[in-house]
Amino acid sequence: MQINLAGFLEKDSGRFMTDLWNLLLDAQKNPSGVPTEIVERKKEELKRKKEEADRVKAALEKRREAAPAAPPPPPPAAATEVKKEERKRSHSPTSDDDQKRKRDRDRRDRDRDREHRDRDRDRRDRERDRDRERDRDRDRDRDRRDRDRDRDDRRRDKDRSQRDDNDSRDKDRRRSPETGNGKNGKDGDSKDTNLEELRVKALATIKKDSKDTAPADQHST
């Protein structure tokens, strides 16, 4: 064991083993199995603690004797009168006024908080209504632009179809003097008939478009 403890206790390992061995031999001789040296050391420690406690107790006794005597407690009747006086002071008009002022202050605080909440709620409602109105105006403007764009597209298509019809009639008119009699004359008559049919169809389409665009214009206005 001394060799194993040499790395930890170094040069004190020999003295430690000697003390330990003596304590073990003393414990074998004592019936309680505790070395006599440890028992004596514990007795001395207890004795010192007792002496310290006695010294502190004596100091407290001296201080108590040197202090002035406390006044005797009041008799039960006097204590009862004191309690009555304290109760009267607690229920005095001054305390009632303080409580009333406190209640009024609390009521004003509650009213102020309620007004703030109502004002905030009204502001949120107005902002929500304003946003809805703005959205409706935006939708109406978009619908109006769409209708105007559709009307312009229909007018452009109608103008383009009229120009195409006029161009085709002009081409046929320029081509008609060059046609001869007989078979060529019959072909010219058939071409004139086709041009007349095309002209009638174009007029019918223009009338139909004008009828369709009239309700849309009235609705937009």
Side-chain angles (χ1 to χ4, degrees):
M1 183 182 290
Q2 183 177 353
I3 294 172
N4 293 330
L5 293 174
F8 179 68
L9 298 176
E10 295 180 353
K11 62 182 181 179
D12 295 332
S13 60
R15 186 174 58 185
F16 175 77
M17 289 303 301
T18 301
D19 295 340
L20 179 61
W21 189 256
N22 292 331
L23 290 173
L24 291 175
L25 293 176
D26 192 5
Q28 289 179 357
K29 295 177 183 179
N30 196 341
S32 62
V34 180
T36 306
E37 183 180 356
I38 295 177
V39 174
E40 293 297 333
R41 192 182 303 166
K42 190 65 176 177
K43 287 180 180 179
E44 291 179 0
E45 184 179 355
L46 293 175
K47 185 178 179 181
R48 285 196 303 272
K49 288 183 178 180
K50 186 178 180 182
E51 291 175 355
E52 184 68 23
D54 293 339
R55 187 165 57 254
V56 172
K57 185 177 180 180
L60 291 175
E61 289 292 338
K62 289 181 180 180
R63 187 177 299 173
R64 191 178 297 111
E65 290 175 359
T80 305
E81 292 296 332
V82 170
K83 290 182 179 179
K84 287 182 179 179
E85 291 295 333
E86 291 179 353
R87 192 178 299 111
K88 287 180 180 179
R89 284 196 297 271
S90 63
H91 292 83
S92 63
T94 305
S95 63
D96 293 339
D97 294 339
D98 293 339
Q99 292 178 1
K100 185 177 180 181
R101 283 194 294 272
K102 184 178 180 182
R103 286 195 298 270
D104 294 338
R105 185 169 56 253
D106 294 339
R107 188 181 302 107
R108 286 194 299 272
D109 293 339
R110 288 194 300 271
D111 294 339
R112 190 182 304 108
D113 294 338
R114 186 167 54 253
E115 290 177 359
H116 288 323
R117 288 195 299 270
D118 295 339
R119 193 159 44 249
D120 293 338
R121 186 171 57 253
D122 294 338
R123 186 175 61 255
R124 287 194 299 270
D125 294 339
R126 287 194 300 271
E127 290 177 356
R128 191 181 302 110
D129 295 337
R130 194 179 302 111
D131 293 337
R132 290 176 180 173
E133 186 66 25
R134 191 182 301 110
D135 294 337
R136 284 196 295 270
D137 293 339
R138 191 181 299 111
D139 294 337
R140 284 195 293 270
D141 292 337
R142 186 170 55 251
D143 294 339
R144 189 181 301 108
R145 286 194 300 270
D146 293 338
R147 288 194 300 271
D148 293 339
R149 186 169 53 254
D150 294 338
R151 186 173 60 254
D152 293 338
D153 293 339
R154 286 194 298 271
R155 287 179 179 176
R156 281 194 298 271
D157 293 337
K158 184 173 65 176
D159 294 338
R160 188 181 299 109
S161 63
Q162 289 178 355
R163 285 196 301 272
D164 293 339
D165 293 339
N166 292 330
D167 293 339
S168 63
R169 283 196 296 272
D170 292 338
K171 288 180 182 179
D172 293 337
R173 192 178 299 109
R174 286 194 298 271
R175 194 182 301 115
S176 60
E178 297 177 358
T179 58
N181 295 325
K183 184 176 181 180
N184 292 330
K186 292 180 179 180
D187 293 336
D189 294 336
S190 62
K191 288 180 180 180
D192 293 335
T193 303
N194 293 331
L195 290 174
E196 186 65 20
E197 291 177 356
L198 290 173
R199 188 174 67 78
V200 172
K201 289 180 180 181
L203 291 174
T205 304
I206 292 170
K207 290 181 180 180
K208 183 178 180 181
D209 290 338
S210 63
K211 290 180 180 180
D212 292 336
T213 55
D217 294 336
Q218 292 176 0
H219 180 69
S220 62
T221 55

